[in-house]
Every structure is written in structure tokens, then in C-alpha cells.
């Protein structure tokens, strides 16, 4: 009925109609909430046994209990700190080396083959060495996370720089751009979309690796909570920890995405037309 | 003003794109270079712009050799090549980034007004049609008031109507400060509408086949009999030039 409405292109400056923006966003909740509700009902009606897969209400109850004692906050903070540090180091190293190897051919020939070979080692395989070298405390954990974060960022940044449209670089040459101007005015903005995506996938890997790192033996952290739940045979605790991971991962990714979206309004993607 | 003397261009893969090319262009002249694909016409433009350097011979502008891009030489590419992350006016300002901001603004809006896009300040390139985007590219090349404006098949990606529109518009723009213009095209009509002199090139290796100065009155009428006669004559030359490319004139390439 409103097809004419949706085809009309809003003129620049005219505000998009605010209607249903919230509704669009809420659609994402339908599936997880529906599944949770279905499981809750199934267990309540005794169709299923909730022992191995506890109901959402029990998981939430466990989370609330952990929050009351202050345990949850301590675990969350410990894990957040590890992810933040590992992500920070991984991003820094990936950005520097990715930029250098993308821009400077000699450096690429020097460092890229080695990094490509190292990339194929499952990062978990480093765990024993990291423990030997850096001890079993924070350093080895942070480094493991940093290694996981490093590769997607290094790979996509160097690839994105190599892939910058020669045609745009030529425009810079015609206007006699210096190296610095070429980087700040063309290479940086041109690679930004790919870089943002790599930051997001790097962050995702950071969350994956923090679990592996905390399996290595930690006294607190969500990964510790998970192992503790396993060893004491409490599936609700395991699920509480998994839920916390999901929520934190989603929130941090959303933060990263919304901060970067401000710099990418120029993109001519099919989403921009939404 | 611009002199190309005995220029060879050989690419690293061994291809000889231009051989022994000589060409002189007078100040304020509009020169069109036509030829089929592979005749080296775009290569020639890249050499004049300083994006590439000749293997032998020299390109000289007012007595000094061109070895790298120079501020007196503007270039419009086949595609608009606008930076998608900059607004229209920011894209145009690219050409005069060394000027004080206030002057930049004035020059940019003046030039955008000239190409008929004054109302598009603040818009993104993605919001433009192909013809509008190419107008912005023209504005970007002209805003620095170059002495020489090079155009590499600037309208070939546009529809016929927009193309003839922009051809007329280009002549209006030229009239402001009459830069020397060198236009590369495969469109004979475009060459005849715009140029004082037309150079037909032939491939293998790229060289000048024939040079003509059609005595047609301006503004030129695309349907005028004399115009059409010149058009057919040059089409014939172009046809001969590209047939040479097969290397064997007794066996013209025929598809069954």
C-alpha cells in the first residue's frame, strides 16, 4: 500500500521518517527470545528435562546470584581487562605492520612471507611456549589474545592498501601529493571501511581467545567461571558465563560499529540506501 | 607552447606504444587526437600529463621538459575519479589545496557555478548522475586555472544526449580563460565539434597517420553538410588506420 512512499528517494537534508526505526532493531530479538521461551515452556510442561540444558530462568537466576555476591563483576572486569589489553596490543601491531607492508614493497617482501607462515599456526598451539616464556599469569594471556587479534588486522589492512584503486592514486599524483598527503588524503580514507571490518573481526577473535587464555589457568574471569562450572558439574554456571560472553561481545562490537559508522557515512553501499 | 619531439614509449613488457612521435600545440589551441584502441593515444596523454615518462624523446611545456605532473597541466580522466569520501566541493578543492581556505571556498563555488552545480555543495559523489560527476571532475581540473587541459575520452561513458550537452559545455568553459586543450577520443564527431585540429593516429607502433585542420565555422553544427563530409573523411582514415593493425591488408579480419 505504501509502495510509492518507500520508492520515493528522500531529498538531501530532509529527515528520514522516524517511524519503525525501533521496530527494525527489535526484530533481532524475536528469534533468541522465542527459542528461550519455547525451552522454558517445554521444561515447565515436563516435555523435556532441564538438567543438562538449564532453562533461561535458571541461567538468569544464576547470573543474578553471581551479581549479588559481586563475583560476576569481578569476573567480567578481569576478562574485559584482558580483552582490552590484548586487543590494544594486537591492533597496534597489526596496524603498524599492515600499513608498512601495504605501503612499502621492500618491507612487504621482508615481513609478509614470515607472517603468512606464522598465521597458519593455530594460535592455541603457542600456549605452552607462551606459558614457558611469559609465565602463567596475565602476560601470557594478553599476548595470546594479541596474537589472535593481530592477524586479521594485519592481513586486511595490508591487503586494503594494496587494493586501493590506482585510478584514485593517479588523481593524487596529478595534484602532486606528497607521500604524506597521499597517505592521509587517499590511502587512509580508502582503506578505512576494510580496516573497520578487520577491527570488528579482530575483536571477535579477541573474545574467542580470552576463553582459551583463561582455560590456561586463571583465578578469575568468565573463562574461569566456565571451567569452574564444568568441574563442579553446574551447567547453569556454564551457560551463565556463555551468556555473559555473548552480551559483552555484542555490546563491544556494537560500540565499535557505531563509533566507526560516523566516519563512513560517505559509503555507497546498498545499506546506505536503507 | 607544448612540443612533443621524437617521443618513443616502450612499456616494460616490451610493447612499443609510441614511436618517433612529433607534435606541436599552440597556445589556446584545441587539439583532438583520435584513433582506435591500442594506437597509443591515451599513452600520449599520460606522457604530456607527466604521469608517465617517455622512453626516448622529450615532452616540453614552454621550453621546459615535463617529467612529472605540473600545476599548469590539468587532466580529466575517462571516469570522474572523485573521492567517494569527500563532498563535491571538497573534491573540487583538491586542485587548490595550497591556497588559503577562504580563497579555496570562493574559487570552488565559482567553478562549481560555472559547471552548473552550484546547488550541489555538500553533496556526496554517490548522489550524482554520470554527467554531473564528470562536470565535477571538469571543475576539479579547471579550478587551478591550468594553462593546458588534457582530456582522456572524458565523455565516452555517457549517453549520447548528455555527451553532446557536455561537449557544448566544455567549449563554454574553454572560453573563460582559453587554456590549451588536448582531447583524446575515439569519437570523430566529438573531435570535429570541439577541435581546431584533428590528429588521426594508427597503431603498431603508435604514430600519427594524418593531421587535418577542418575549416568549419563555429559553433559547429553536427548536421551541417560540410561537417558530415569531414566526419566521413576522417572515419575513412580511422578505418584504414585500424585495419593496418591486423598487419595484413589482403586479409581483413572477417568474422563468420
Amino acid at each position: 500500500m505504501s509502495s510509492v512512499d518507500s520508492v520515493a528517494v528522500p531529498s538531501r537534508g530532509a529527515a528520514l521518517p522516524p517511524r519503525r526505526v525501533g521496530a527494525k532493531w527489535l526484530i533481532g530479538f524475536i528469534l533468541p527470545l522465542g527459542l528461550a521461551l519455547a525451552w522454558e515452556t517445554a521444561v515447565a510442561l515436563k516435555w523435556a528435562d532441564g538438567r543438562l540444558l538449564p532453562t533461561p530462568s535458571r541461567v538468569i537466576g544464576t547470573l543474578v546470584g553471581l551479581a549479588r555476591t559481586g563475583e560476576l563483576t569481578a569476573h567480567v572486569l578481569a576478562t574485559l581487562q584482558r580483552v582490552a589489553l590484548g586487543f590494544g596490543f594486537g591492533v597496534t601491531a597489526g596496524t603498524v605492520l599492515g600499513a608498512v607492508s601495504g605501503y612499502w614493497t621492500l618491507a612487504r617482501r621482508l615481513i609478509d612471507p614470515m607472517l603468512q607462515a606464522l598465521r597458519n599456526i593455530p594460535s592455541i598451539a603457542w600456549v605452552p611456549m607462551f606459558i614457558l616464556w611469559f609465565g602463567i599469569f596475565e602476560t601470557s594471556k594478553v599476548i595470546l589474545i594479541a596474537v589472535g587479534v593481530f592477524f586479521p588486522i594485519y592481513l586486511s589492512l595490508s591487503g586494503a592498501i594494496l587494493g586501493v584503486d590506482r585510478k584514485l592514486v593517479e588523481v593524487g599524483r596529478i595534484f602532486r601529493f606528497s607521500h604524506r598527503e597521499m597517505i592521509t588524503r587517499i590511502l587512509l580514507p580508502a582503506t578505512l571501511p576494510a580496516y573497520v571490518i578487520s577491527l570488528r573481526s579482530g575483536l571477535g577473535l579477541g573474545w574467542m581467545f580470552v576463553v582459551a587464555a583463561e582455560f590456561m589457568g586463571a583465578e578469575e574471569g568468565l573463562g574461569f567461571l566456565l571451567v569452574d562450572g564444568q568441574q563442579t558439574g553446574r551447567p547453569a554456571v556454564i551457560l551463565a558465563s556463555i551468556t555473559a560472553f555473548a552480551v559483552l561481545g555484542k555490546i563491544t562490537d556494537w560500540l565499535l560499529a557505531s563509533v566507526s559508522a560516523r566516519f563512513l557515512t560517505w559509503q555507497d553501499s546498498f545499506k546506505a540506501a536503507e | 607552447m607544448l612540443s612533443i619531439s621524437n617521443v618513443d614509449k616502450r612499456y616494460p613488457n616490451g610493447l612499443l606504444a609510441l614511436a618517433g612521435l612529433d607534435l606541436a600545440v599552440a597556445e589556446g589551441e584545441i587539439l583532438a587526437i583520435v584513433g582506435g584502441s591500442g594506437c597509443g593515444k591515451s599513452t600520449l596523454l599520460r606522457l604530456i600529463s607527466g604521469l608517465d615518462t617517455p622512453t626516448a624523446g622529450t615532452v616540453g611545456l614552454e621550453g621546459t621538459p615535463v617529467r612529472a605532473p605540473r600545476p599548469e597541466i590539468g587532466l580529466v580522466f575517462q571516469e570522474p575519479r572523485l573521492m567517494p569520501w569527500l563532498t563535491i566541493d571538497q573534491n573540487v578543492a583538491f586542485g587548490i589545496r595550497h591556497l588559503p581556505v577562504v580563497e579555496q571556498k570562493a574559487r570552488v563555488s565559482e567553478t562549481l557555478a560555472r559547471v552548473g552545480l552550484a546547488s550541489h555543495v555538500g553533496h556526496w559523489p554517490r548522489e550524482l548522475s554520470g554527467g554531473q560527476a564528470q562536470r565535477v571532475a571538469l571543475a576539479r581540473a579547471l579550478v587551478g586555472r591550468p594553462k593546458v587541459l588534457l582530456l582522456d575520452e572524458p565523455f565516452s561513458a555517457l549517453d549520447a544526449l548528455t555527451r553532446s550537452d557536455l561537449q557544448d559545455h566544455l567549449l563554454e568553459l574553454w572560453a573563460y580563460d582559453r587554456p590549451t586543450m588536448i582531447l583524446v577520443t575515439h569519437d570523430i564527431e566529438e573531435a570535429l565539434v570541439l577541435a581546431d585540429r584533428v590528429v588521426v593516429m594508427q597503431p603498431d607502433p603508435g604514430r600519427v597517420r594524418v593531421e587535418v585542420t577542418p575549416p568549419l565555422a563555429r559553433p559547429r553544427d553536427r548536421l551541417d553538410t560540410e561537417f558530415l563530409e569531414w566526419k566521413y573523411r576522417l572515419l575513412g582514415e580511422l578505418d584504414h588506420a585500424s585495419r593496418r593493425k591486423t598487419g595484413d591488408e589482403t586479409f581483413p579480419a572477417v568474422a563468420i
Side-chain angles (χ1 to χ4, degrees):
Chain A
M1 277 177 282
S2 63
S3 62
V4 179
D5 219 12
S6 55
V7 170
V9 178
S11 66
R12 208 193 126 74
L16 281 164
R19 68 195 160 103
R20 271 178 280 143
V21 171
K24 272 182 202 162
W25 186 65
L26 286 173
I27 285 174
F29 282 100
I30 293 177
L31 222 50
L33 284 184
L35 284 171
L37 206 68
W39 184 241
E40 193 78 46
T41 318
V43 174
L45 295 175
K46 300 252 183 327
W47 290 348
D49 169 25
R51 200 166 52 83
L52 291 179
L53 180 55
T55 56
S57 58
R58 275 192 58 206
V59 174
I60 292 167
T62 310
L63 276 171
V64 170
L66 286 166
R68 275 216 187 101
T69 58
E71 261 182 277
L72 186 65
T73 318
H75 290 314
V76 165
L77 284 180
T79 300
L80 266 180
Q81 191 195 336
R82 286 173 190 136
V83 172
L85 282 173
F87 184 68
F89 289 128
V91 167
T92 310
T95 306
V96 170
L97 287 180
V100 166
S101 104
Y103 192 66
W104 188 22
T105 313
L106 182 66
R108 180 167 67 255
R109 291 196 181 126
L110 185 71
I111 61 179
D112 194 62
M114 186 180 77
L115 287 175
Q116 295 288 354
L118 288 178
R119 179 172 76 97
N120 289 308
I121 302 170
S123 305
I124 309 295
W126 289 110
V127 167
M129 296 318 287
F130 284 174
I131 291 177
L132 270 178
W133 295 336
F134 309 114
I136 56 161
F137 300 109
E138 291 307 303
T139 316
S140 57
K141 292 183 179 58
V142 168
I143 287 176
L144 180 67
I145 298 165
V147 168
V149 173
F150 169 80
F151 282 106
I153 289 171
Y154 167 80
L155 284 175
S156 61
L157 183 58
S158 62
I161 294 174
L162 288 174
V164 170
D165 195 347
R166 176 187 56 81
K167 292 176 172 175
L168 296 185
V169 175
E170 271 180 7
V171 174
R173 287 187 55 207
I174 278 290
F175 290 117
R176 288 157 294 109
F177 277 13
S178 63
H179 279 281
R180 223 188 99 213
E181 285 177 309
M182 206 64 114
I183 290 169
T184 56
R185 286 168 171 264
I186 294 183
L187 296 182
L188 209 73
T191 51
L192 196 60
Y195 184 63
V196 164
I197 291 173
S198 79
L199 284 182
R200 291 177 66 182
S201 62
L203 183 62
L205 281 172
W207 281 107
M208 265 174 69
F209 278 85
V210 77
V211 181
E214 288 176 346
F215 274 9
M216 270 153 63
E219 275 145 21
E220 55 181 0
L222 290 170
F224 163 77
L225 193 64
L226 202 95
V227 178
D228 192 47
Q230 183 204 4
Q231 285 171 347
T232 54
R234 290 181 295 168
V237 172
I238 299 178
L239 281 183
S241 155
I242 289 175
T243 309
F245 271 122
V247 170
L248 286 174
K250 181 65 201 160
I251 289 174
T252 48
D253 180 64
W254 174 80
L255 279 174
L256 198 56
S258 33
V259 169
S260 53
R262 301 185 41 205
F263 299 100
L264 297 175
T265 42
W266 52 269
Q267 272 192 299
D268 189 13
S269 58
F270 81 102
K271 257 203 90 181
E274 218 175 70
Chain B
M1 181 205 198
L2 189 80
S3 65
I4 293 143
S5 47
N6 208 14
V7 159
D8 287 356
K9 177 65 185 177
R10 189 182 286 281
Y11 282 110
N13 63 10
L15 180 83
L16 188 60
L18 293 172
L21 199 94
D22 285 304
L23 205 61
V25 191
E27 191 164 346
E29 185 182 1
I30 306 179
L31 174 77
I33 300 170
V34 296
S37 50
C39 71
K41 56 189 194 300
S42 289
T43 303
L44 178 60
L45 212 63
R46 291 179 66 88
L47 296 183
I48 301 172
S49 70
L51 280 178
D52 273 340
T53 47
T55 315
T58 52
V59 175
L61 176 65
E62 291 176 325
T64 49
V66 177
R67 292 198 194 87
R70 283 168 51 166
E72 314 94 288
I73 305 178
L75 175 57
V76 177
F77 298 94
Q78 192 171 357
E79 326 79 14
R81 302 198 184 184
L82 304 178
M83 305 295 143
W85 54 83
L86 297 179
T87 56
I88 307 305
D89 39 313
Q90 289 170 331
N91 264 291
V92 175
F94 240 51
I96 46 167
R97 65 193 191 290
H98 50 275
L99 294 181
V101 179
V102 185
E103 205 180 331
Q104 276 189 35
K105 283 213 164 136
R107 292 266 291 266
V108 166
S109 38
E110 180 200 335
T111 315
L112 274 176
R114 248 183 229 180
V115 299
L117 290 172
S119 58
H120 285 62
V121 169
H123 284 213
W124 298 107
R126 64 159 194 263
E127 299 171 277
L128 300 179
S129 69
Q132 288 173 328
Q134 201 57 312
R135 277 170 196 253
V136 176
L138 268 171
R140 181 178 63 187
L142 287 169
V143 72
R145 295 179 189 147
K147 288 183 182 160
V148 180
L149 181 63
L150 308 173
L151 303 119
D152 187 5
E153 306 202 23
F155 311 133
S156 64
L158 305 173
D159 63 90
L161 216 68
T162 314
R163 193 184 311 150
S164 54
D165 230 33
L166 275 179
Q167 287 161 358
D168 297 340
H169 186 59
L170 180 64
L171 287 174
E172 286 166 29
L173 291 173
W174 175 80
Y176 280 97
D177 27 37
R178 302 182 171 248
T180 306
M181 280 205 313
I182 303 178
L183 165 89
V184 156
T185 179
H186 57 248
D187 182 352
I188 297 281
E189 186 182 293
E190 181 165 284
L192 281 173
V193 168
L194 297 173
D196 302 317
R197 182 158 59 117
V198 180
V199 168
V200 180
M201 288 184 67
Q202 72 178 46
D204 291 327
R207 59 201 186 278
V208 174
R209 177 183 173 84
V210 68
E211 226 184 275
V212 294
T213 310
L216 297 166
R218 288 181 188 269
R220 289 175 179 168
D221 177 358
R222 294 173 177 82
L223 298 174
D224 174 64
T225 326
E226 217 180 326
F227 184 93
L228 290 172
E229 270 168 23
W230 275 98
K231 185 174 164 181
Y232 291 127
R233 189 181 146 194
L234 284 176
L235 273 174
E237 291 289 348
L238 199 63
D239 193 37
H240 270 291
S242 48
R243 200 165 296 165
R244 282 207 160 234
K245 201 185 168 187
T246 60
D248 188 347
E249 278 174 292
T250 58
F251 277 96
V254 175
I256 301 170

